[in-house]
Amino acid sequence: NTEKQMGREKTEEYFKKDLLVSDEKFNLARTVADCEEKIIATSEPKSMSLYISIPFCPSRCSYCSFVSHSVENDKARNLLPEYVSLLKKEISETGKIAQKIGVKLESIYIGGGTPTTLSAEQLKTIIDAVKDSFDLSTCREFTVEAGRPDTITEEKLLVLKNSPVDRISINPQTFNNSVLETVGRKHSAEDTIRIFNLARKIGFDNINMDLIAGLPTDTLDGFKYSLDTAIELDPENITVHTLAVKRASGIGQKSPEIAVKNATLASQMLDYAYDKLSGKYHPYYMYRQSKSAGSLENVGWAKDGTECIYNIFMMEECHTILSCGGGAVTKLKAPNESEIERIFNFKYPFEYISGY
């Protein structure tokens, strides 16, 4: 919007001289904006996307502040069957609304939590509900956030592959086993590599991997090793997050000072990522979370033609996002208007179940 109002040259001058943005950060922002503009242009007045929330994980990472229940707890694990049953009904009702108002489904994202905490049968139930409830003929992308390697099995990958799902995430966060242990991840770096190779063998050709800069006990050399390992695996997308220390996270409650302490280190990590990823990948979306180390950004990097369009549609609020499940937030956007109305679903799984 700024460039449309001021032109490219004056926009650059404004960012660099008035806002004191560095050359590198300005070039990053402009590259992202140019990429996003092309994808945003494909969103039509009747376009919409679908988000489905699975707020369960095998265990809770110390940096996590999301609404998610660890199934290490028997009480949380026992909620899963009823949650899936009710979510199936909500997806069906949401599909009826979408059909009634005549919207065009562009992208689907199943996130959480960790959706692959569900069993293979439960995953199939949710995906089948989407297939039965929505017209997928216009859907250009269907992502499932597989996330934690310790939740992924060959059976689950086959369920996803034998469905309309065409993009998955397998997220190492780091390839340093001692750091994984520090943050409470119940898998090893070797597990991540094994599952990634299995997904490739099964036929997935659009895979994202997440890394986090600034994790507790990580070092610059450790982050370099993690990023180099991810690049060697050759996923289509690599998303580099900066550690955000939220009050609801374990780190936020025990070591909130780490965001300040790791600010310089996180900046060095992002500089390395920028240098290593540029060329083979390009930055296609970017955002900043509150309480992130050094107030630094999260950047999604993609090979040409593999950009996650849901991420852009969601972040830039281009069109309506219909959302189902505990903790999900529907964003209603009238065509050709900027105002967004948010509708919040029941926040926690037990509320979601008791509310229905």
Side-chain angles (χ1 to χ4, degrees):
N1 288 337
T2 305
E3 282 199 343
K4 289 178 181 178
Q5 295 169 4
M6 303 174 61
R8 288 179 77 88
E9 289 185 7
K10 288 187 177 180
T11 295
E12 182 171 356
E13 182 179 349
Y14 169 69
F15 270 76
K16 291 182 178 180
K17 292 187 177 181
D18 294 5
L19 302 181
L20 304 179
V21 176
S22 68
D23 289 348
E24 180 182 281
K25 296 298 184 184
F26 176 78
N27 292 334
L28 172 63
R30 171 163 278 172
T31 302
V32 169
D34 287 344
C35 179
E36 286 193 350
E37 188 175 24
K38 296 175 184 177
I39 293 173
I40 290 170
T42 67
S43 177
E44 301 174 4
K46 282 286 190 178
S47 292
M48 56 82 61
S49 292
L50 175 67
Y51 178 78
I52 297 170
S53 172
I54 310 294
F56 297 91
C57 282
S59 62
R60 191 167 183 86
C61 301
S62 63
Y63 54 79
C64 180
S65 61
F66 292 137
V67 176
S68 185
H69 281 32
S70 168
V71 296
E72 287 182 316
N73 182 304
D74 289 341
K75 187 175 180 180
R77 185 168 57 250
N78 292 338
L79 294 175
L80 278 169
E82 193 170 1
Y83 181 86
V84 169
S85 177
L86 291 171
L87 180 57
K88 178 181 176 181
K89 293 179 180 178
E90 186 184 9
I91 291 169
S92 176
E93 290 302 314
T94 304
K96 292 175 183 176
I97 294 170
Q99 184 178 14
K100 182 178 179 180
I101 62 179
V103 288
K104 176 185 176 185
L105 180 60
E106 300 280 359
S107 64
I108 303 170
Y109 198 104
I110 301 182
T114 307
T116 41
T117 302
L118 301 181
S119 68
E121 182 181 359
Q122 289 168 335
L123 276 173
K124 187 175 186 305
T125 295
I126 297 305
I127 294 169
D128 285 348
V130 174
K131 288 165 55 180
D132 293 342
S133 305
F134 289 85
D135 177 7
L136 302 188
S137 64
T138 60
C139 185
R140 295 186 277 151
E141 175 186 273
F142 193 150
T143 297
V144 171
E145 185 84 22
R148 294 270 294 260
D150 47 331
T151 66
I152 305 171
T153 65
E154 183 172 5
E155 184 183 11
K156 293 179 188 180
L157 287 173
L158 287 170
V159 165
L160 300 179
K161 185 60 183 173
N162 294 325
S163 76
V165 172
D166 56 11
R167 181 179 182 273
I168 62 172
S169 284
I170 299 172
N171 298 332
Q173 312 302 12
T174 174
F175 282 97
N176 185 319
N177 284 330
S178 65
V179 178
L180 286 170
E181 184 176 355
T182 296
V183 300
R185 301 276 285 194
K186 306 293 186 180
H187 65 86
S188 67
E190 293 73 24
D191 290 333
T192 304
I193 294 170
R194 175 178 55 83
I195 291 299
F196 181 89
N197 289 331
L198 176 61
R200 282 292 198 226
K201 181 180 178 182
I202 286 173
F204 284 97
D205 57 7
N206 194 353
I207 300 176
N208 171 72
M209 304 193 93
D210 283 1
L211 296 173
I212 300 178
L215 286 172
T217 74
D218 204 1
T219 64
L220 181 57
D221 285 342
F223 179 82
K224 288 180 177 180
Y225 172 76
S226 294
L227 184 69
D228 292 347
T229 301
I231 292 172
E232 186 176 349
L233 288 170
D234 199 31
E236 284 62 43
N237 299 169
I238 296 178
T239 306
V240 182
H241 297 270
T242 302
L243 177 68
V245 182
K246 303 295 181 70
R247 285 179 297 178
S249 69
I251 295 174
Q253 294 172 15
K254 295 180 180 179
S255 306
E257 74 285 351
I258 197 170
V260 176
K261 180 181 176 182
N262 282 7
T264 300
L265 176 61
S267 180
Q268 294 170 340
M269 291 173 171
L270 292 192
D271 287 344
Y272 182 79
Y274 184 91
D275 290 340
K276 290 289 289 189
L277 291 168
S278 295
K280 185 174 184 179
Y281 297 87
H282 65 268
Y284 76 96
Y285 90 111
M286 176 174 65
Y287 66 103
R288 188 181 69 83
Q289 291 178 282
S290 64
K291 304 182 187 302
S292 62
S295 294
L296 293 165
E297 66 275 0
N298 303 328
V299 182
W301 295 79
K303 295 181 181 180
D304 288 342
T306 70
E307 301 86 356
C308 178
I309 62 173
Y310 173 84
N311 283 336
I312 294 173
F313 292 151
M314 183 268 296
M315 286 292 174
E316 300 304 325
E317 298 183 328
C318 309
H319 58 227
T320 289
I321 308 287
L322 298 180
S323 300
C324 302
V329 181
T330 287
K331 297 180 180 181
L332 297 179
K333 182 179 185 297
N336 305 315
E337 294 183 16
S338 59
E339 185 177 353
I340 301 289
E341 180 182 350
R342 288 170 170 80
I343 301 174
F344 295 84
N345 211 334
F346 298 101
K347 188 173 183 179
Y348 298 104
F350 66 87
E351 291 177 326
Y352 182 82
I353 291 170
S354 61
Y356 275 98

mmCIF file with all atom_site columns, all heavy atoms in Angstrom, residues 85-99:
data_model
loop_
_atom_site.group_PDB
_atom_site.id
_atom_site.type_symbol
_atom_site.label_atom_id
_atom_site.label_alt_id
_atom_site.label_comp_id
_atom_site.label_asym_id
_atom_site.label_entity_id
_atom_site.label_seq_id
_atom_site.pdbx_PDB_ins_code
_atom_site.Cartn_x
_atom_site.Cartn_y
_atom_site.Cartn_z
_atom_site.occupancy
_atom_site.B_iso_or_equiv
_atom_site.pdbx_formal_charge
_atom_site.auth_seq_id
_atom_site.auth_comp_id
_atom_site.auth_asym_id
_atom_site.auth_atom_id
_atom_site.pdbx_PDB_model_num
ATOM 1   N N   . SER A 1 85 ? -15.244 -36.530 16.739 1.00 0.00 ? 85 SER A N   1
ATOM 2   C CA  . SER A 1 85 ? -16.640 -36.708 16.339 1.00 0.00 ? 85 SER A CA  1
ATOM 3   C C   . SER A 1 85 ? -17.359 -35.369 16.196 1.00 0.00 ? 85 SER A C   1
ATOM 4   O O   . SER A 1 85 ? -18.081 -35.133 15.213 1.00 0.00 ? 85 SER A O   1
ATOM 5   C CB  . SER A 1 85 ? -17.356 -37.589 17.371 1.00 0.00 ? 85 SER A CB  1
ATOM 6   O OG  . SER A 1 85 ? -18.726 -37.735 17.050 1.00 0.00 ? 85 SER A OG  1
ATOM 7   N N   . LEU A 1 86 ? -17.154 -34.470 17.163 1.00 0.00 ? 86 LEU A N   1
ATOM 8   C CA  . LEU A 1 86 ? -17.804 -33.161 17.109 1.00 0.00 ? 86 LEU A CA  1
ATOM 9   C C   . LEU A 1 86 ? -17.198 -32.278 16.022 1.00 0.00 ? 86 LEU A C   1
ATOM 10  O O   . LEU A 1 86 ? -17.912 -31.509 15.367 1.00 0.00 ? 86 LEU A O   1
ATOM 11  C CB  . LEU A 1 86 ? -17.698 -32.472 18.468 1.00 0.00 ? 86 LEU A CB  1
ATOM 12  C CG  . LEU A 1 86 ? -18.522 -33.109 19.583 1.00 0.00 ? 86 LEU A CG  1
ATOM 13  C CD1 . LEU A 1 86 ? -18.181 -32.480 20.925 1.00 0.00 ? 86 LEU A CD1 1
ATOM 14  C CD2 . LEU A 1 86 ? -20.017 -32.962 19.301 1.00 0.00 ? 86 LEU A CD2 1
ATOM 15  N N   . LEU A 1 87 ? -15.891 -32.380 15.820 1.00 0.00 ? 87 LEU A N   1
ATOM 16  C CA  . LEU A 1 87 ? -15.241 -31.605 14.770 1.00 0.00 ? 87 LEU A CA  1
ATOM 17  C C   . LEU A 1 87 ? -15.775 -32.012 13.397 1.00 0.00 ? 87 LEU A C   1
ATOM 18  O O   . LEU A 1 87 ? -15.997 -31.157 12.527 1.00 0.00 ? 87 LEU A O   1
ATOM 19  C CB  . LEU A 1 87 ? -13.725 -31.808 14.837 1.00 0.00 ? 87 LEU A CB  1
ATOM 20  C CG  . LEU A 1 87 ? -12.886 -31.054 13.803 1.00 0.00 ? 87 LEU A CG  1
ATOM 21  C CD1 . LEU A 1 87 ? -13.121 -29.552 13.872 1.00 0.00 ? 87 LEU A CD1 1
ATOM 22  C CD2 . LEU A 1 87 ? -11.396 -31.372 14.004 1.00 0.00 ? 87 LEU A CD2 1
ATOM 23  N N   . LYS A 1 88 ? -16.003 -33.279 13.216 1.00 0.00 ? 88 LYS A N   1
ATOM 24  C CA  . LYS A 1 88 ? -16.584 -33.761 11.960 1.00 0.00 ? 88 LYS A CA  1
ATOM 25  C C   . LYS A 1 88 ? -17.935 -33.090 11.706 1.00 0.00 ? 88 LYS A C   1
ATOM 26  O O   . LYS A 1 88 ? -18.229 -32.660 10.580 1.00 0.00 ? 88 LYS A O   1
ATOM 27  C CB  . LYS A 1 88 ? -16.748 -35.284 12.014 1.00 0.00 ? 88 LYS A CB  1
ATOM 28  C CG  . LYS A 1 88 ? -17.397 -35.897 10.782 1.00 0.00 ? 88 LYS A CG  1
ATOM 29  C CD  . LYS A 1 88 ? -17.549 -37.409 10.943 1.00 0.00 ? 88 LYS A CD  1
ATOM 30  C CE  . LYS A 1 88 ? -18.293 -38.010 9.762  1.00 0.00 ? 88 LYS A CE  1
ATOM 31  N NZ  . LYS A 1 88 ? -18.477 -39.480 9.927  1.00 0.00 ? 88 LYS A NZ  1
ATOM 32  N N   . LYS A 1 89 ? -18.746 -32.972 12.758 1.00 0.00 ? 89 LYS A N   1
ATOM 33  C CA  . LYS A 1 89 ? -20.062 -32.331 12.624 1.00 0.00 ? 89 LYS A CA  1
ATOM 34  C C   . LYS A 1 89 ? -19.907 -30.841 12.304 1.00 0.00 ? 89 LYS A C   1
ATOM 35  O O   . LYS A 1 89 ? -20.648 -30.292 11.481 1.00 0.00 ? 89 LYS A O   1
ATOM 36  C CB  . LYS A 1 89 ? -20.877 -32.514 13.897 1.00 0.00 ? 89 LYS A CB  1
ATOM 37  C CG  . LYS A 1 89 ? -21.276 -33.956 14.178 1.00 0.00 ? 89 LYS A CG  1
ATOM 38  C CD  . LYS A 1 89 ? -22.062 -34.063 15.476 1.00 0.00 ? 89 LYS A CD  1
ATOM 39  C CE  . LYS A 1 89 ? -22.459 -35.509 15.773 1.00 0.00 ? 89 LYS A CE  1
ATOM 40  N NZ  . LYS A 1 89 ? -23.192 -35.630 17.064 1.00 0.00 ? 89 LYS A NZ  1
ATOM 41  N N   . GLU A 1 90 ? -18.946 -30.189 12.960 1.00 0.00 ? 90 GLU A N   1
ATOM 42  C CA  . GLU A 1 90 ? -18.749 -28.758 12.699 1.00 0.00 ? 90 GLU A CA  1
ATOM 43  C C   . GLU A 1 90 ? -18.277 -28.511 11.271 1.00 0.00 ? 90 GLU A C   1
ATOM 44  O O   . GLU A 1 90 ? -18.704 -27.564 10.613 1.00 0.00 ? 90 GLU A O   1
ATOM 45  C CB  . GLU A 1 90 ? -17.750 -28.158 13.687 1.00 0.00 ? 90 GLU A CB  1
ATOM 46  C CG  . GLU A 1 90 ? -17.653 -26.639 13.525 1.00 0.00 ? 90 GLU A CG  1
ATOM 47  C CD  . GLU A 1 90 ? -16.607 -25.992 14.402 1.00 0.00 ? 90 GLU A CD  1
ATOM 48  O OE1 . GLU A 1 90 ? -15.806 -26.707 15.040 1.00 0.00 ? 90 GLU A OE1 1
ATOM 49  O OE2 . GLU A 1 90 ? -16.576 -24.743 14.448 1.00 0.00 ? 90 GLU A OE2 1
ATOM 50  N N   . ILE A 1 91 ? -17.392 -29.364 10.788 1.00 0.00 ? 91 ILE A N   1
ATOM 51  C CA  . ILE A 1 91 ? -16.927 -29.235 9.406  1.00 0.00 ? 91 ILE A CA  1
ATOM 52  C C   . ILE A 1 91 ? -18.106 -29.368 8.451  1.00 0.00 ? 91 ILE A C   1
ATOM 53  O O   . ILE A 1 91 ? -18.232 -28.611 7.476  1.00 0.00 ? 91 ILE A O   1
ATOM 54  C CB  . ILE A 1 91 ? -15.848 -30.298 9.098  1.00 0.00 ? 91 ILE A CB  1
ATOM 55  C CG1 . ILE A 1 91 ? -14.565 -29.986 9.880  1.00 0.00 ? 91 ILE A CG1 1
ATOM 56  C CG2 . ILE A 1 91 ? -15.556 -30.356 7.600  1.00 0.00 ? 91 ILE A CG2 1
ATOM 57  C CD1 . ILE A 1 91 ? -13.542 -31.106 9.851  1.00 0.00 ? 91 ILE A CD1 1
ATOM 58  N N   . SER A 1 92 ? -18.987 -30.310 8.723  1.00 0.00 ? 92 SER A N   1
ATOM 59  C CA  . SER A 1 92 ? -20.165 -30.511 7.882  1.00 0.00 ? 92 SER A CA  1
ATOM 60  C C   . SER A 1 92 ? -21.054 -29.266 7.870  1.00 0.00 ? 92 SER A C   1
ATOM 61  O O   . SER A 1 92 ? -21.504 -28.813 6.809  1.00 0.00 ? 92 SER A O   1
ATOM 62  C CB  . SER A 1 92 ? -20.961 -31.723 8.375  1.00 0.00 ? 92 SER A CB  1
ATOM 63  O OG  . SER A 1 92 ? -22.148 -31.884 7.627  1.00 0.00 ? 92 SER A OG  1
ATOM 64  N N   . GLU A 1 93 ? -21.315 -28.701 9.059  1.00 0.00 ? 93 GLU A N   1
ATOM 65  C CA  . GLU A 1 93 ? -22.163 -27.504 9.146  1.00 0.00 ? 93 GLU A CA  1
ATOM 66  C C   . GLU A 1 93 ? -21.499 -26.305 8.465  1.00 0.00 ? 93 GLU A C   1
ATOM 67  O O   . GLU A 1 93 ? -22.161 -25.502 7.795  1.00 0.00 ? 93 GLU A O   1
ATOM 68  C CB  . GLU A 1 93 ? -22.465 -27.177 10.611 1.00 0.00 ? 93 GLU A CB  1
ATOM 69  C CG  . GLU A 1 93 ? -23.391 -28.176 11.291 1.00 0.00 ? 93 GLU A CG  1
ATOM 70  C CD  . GLU A 1 93 ? -24.734 -28.301 10.576 1.00 0.00 ? 93 GLU A CD  1
ATOM 71  O OE1 . GLU A 1 93 ? -25.319 -27.252 10.230 1.00 0.00 ? 93 GLU A OE1 1
ATOM 72  O OE2 . GLU A 1 93 ? -25.184 -29.440 10.365 1.00 0.00 ? 93 GLU A OE2 1
ATOM 73  N N   . THR A 1 94 ? -20.199 -26.193 8.613  1.00 0.00 ? 94 THR A N   1
ATOM 74  C CA  . THR A 1 94 ? -19.466 -25.092 7.981  1.00 0.00 ? 94 THR A CA  1
ATOM 75  C C   . THR A 1 94 ? -19.509 -25.229 6.464  1.00 0.00 ? 94 THR A C   1
ATOM 76  O O   . THR A 1 94 ? -19.643 -24.241 5.731  1.00 0.00 ? 94 THR A O   1
ATOM 77  C CB  . THR A 1 94 ? -18.003 -25.065 8.475  1.00 0.00 ? 94 THR A CB  1
ATOM 78  O OG1 . THR A 1 94 ? -17.987 -24.983 9.899  1.00 0.00 ? 94 THR A OG1 1
ATOM 79  C CG2 . THR A 1 94 ? -17.246 -23.878 7.902  1.00 0.00 ? 94 THR A CG2 1
ATOM 80  N N   . GLY A 1 95 ? -19.419 -26.465 5.994  1.00 0.00 ? 95 GLY A N   1
ATOM 81  C CA  . GLY A 1 95 ? -19.514 -26.704 4.552  1.00 0.00 ? 95 GLY A CA  1
ATOM 82  C C   . GLY A 1 95 ? -20.869 -26.294 3.991  1.00 0.00 ? 95 GLY A C   1
ATOM 83  O O   . GLY A 1 95 ? -20.955 -25.755 2.878  1.00 0.00 ? 95 GLY A O   1
ATOM 84  N N   . LYS A 1 96 ? -21.920 -26.535 4.759  1.00 0.00 ? 96 LYS A N   1
ATOM 85  C CA  . LYS A 1 96 ? -23.264 -26.136 4.322  1.00 0.00 ? 96 LYS A CA  1
ATOM 86  C C   . LYS A 1 96 ? -23.353 -24.612 4.193  1.00 0.00 ? 96 LYS A C   1
ATOM 87  O O   . LYS A 1 96 ? -23.959 -24.086 3.243  1.00 0.00 ? 96 LYS A O   1
ATOM 88  C CB  . LYS A 1 96 ? -24.319 -26.650 5.300  1.00 0.00 ? 96 LYS A CB  1
ATOM 89  C CG  . LYS A 1 96 ? -24.478 -28.161 5.308  1.00 0.00 ? 96 LYS A CG  1
ATOM 90  C CD  . LYS A 1 96 ? -25.464 -28.605 6.398  1.00 0.00 ? 96 LYS A CD  1
ATOM 91  C CE  . LYS A 1 96 ? -25.569 -30.116 6.466  1.00 0.00 ? 96 LYS A CE  1
ATOM 92  N NZ  . LYS A 1 96 ? -26.458 -30.560 7.581  1.00 0.00 ? 96 LYS A NZ  1
ATOM 93  N N   . ILE A 1 97 ? -22.751 -23.912 5.149  1.00 0.00 ? 97 ILE A N   1
ATOM 94  C CA  . ILE A 1 97 ? -22.758 -22.443 5.105  1.00 0.00 ? 97 ILE A CA  1
ATOM 95  C C   . ILE A 1 97 ? -21.976 -21.953 3.891  1.00 0.00 ? 97 ILE A C   1
ATOM 96  O O   . ILE A 1 97 ? -22.423 -21.048 3.165  1.00 0.00 ? 97 ILE A O   1
ATOM 97  C CB  . ILE A 1 97 ? -22.151 -21.878 6.408  1.00 0.00 ? 97 ILE A CB  1
ATOM 98  C CG1 . ILE A 1 97 ? -23.053 -22.209 7.598  1.00 0.00 ? 97 ILE A CG1 1
ATOM 99  C CG2 . ILE A 1 97 ? -21.938 -20.367 6.298  1.00 0.00 ? 97 ILE A CG2 1
ATOM 100 C CD1 . ILE A 1 97 ? -22.433 -21.903 8.943  1.00 0.00 ? 97 ILE A CD1 1
ATOM 101 N N   . ALA A 1 98 ? -20.815 -22.558 3.650  1.00 0.00 ? 98 ALA A N   1
ATOM 102 C CA  . ALA A 1 98 ? -19.998 -22.159 2.500  1.00 0.00 ? 98 ALA A CA  1
ATOM 103 C C   . ALA A 1 98 ? -20.751 -22.373 1.188  1.00 0.00 ? 98 ALA A C   1
ATOM 104 O O   . ALA A 1 98 ? -20.698 -21.529 0.284  1.00 0.00 ? 98 ALA A O   1
ATOM 105 C CB  . ALA A 1 98 ? -18.691 -22.947 2.501  1.00 0.00 ? 98 ALA A CB  1
ATOM 106 N N   . GLN A 1 99 ? -21.444 -23.488 1.111  1.00 0.00 ? 99 GLN A N   1
ATOM 107 C CA  . GLN A 1 99 ? -22.213 -23.774 -0.097 1.00 0.00 ? 99 GLN A CA  1
ATOM 108 C C   . GLN A 1 99 ? -23.363 -22.779 -0.266 1.00 0.00 ? 99 GLN A C   1
ATOM 109 O O   . GLN A 1 99 ? -23.632 -22.292 -1.381 1.00 0.00 ? 99 GLN A O   1
ATOM 110 C CB  . GLN A 1 99 ? -22.757 -25.203 -0.033 1.00 0.00 ? 99 GLN A CB  1
ATOM 111 C CG  . GLN A 1 99 ? -23.494 -25.632 -1.300 1.00 0.00 ? 99 GLN A CG  1
ATOM 112 C CD  . GLN A 1 99 ? -23.967 -27.080 -1.217 1.00 0.00 ? 99 GLN A CD  1
ATOM 113 O OE1 . GLN A 1 99 ? -23.981 -27.680 -0.144 1.00 0.00 ? 99 GLN A OE1 1
ATOM 114 N NE2 . GLN A 1 99 ? -24.337 -27.647 -2.345 1.00 0.00 ? 99 GLN A NE2 1
#
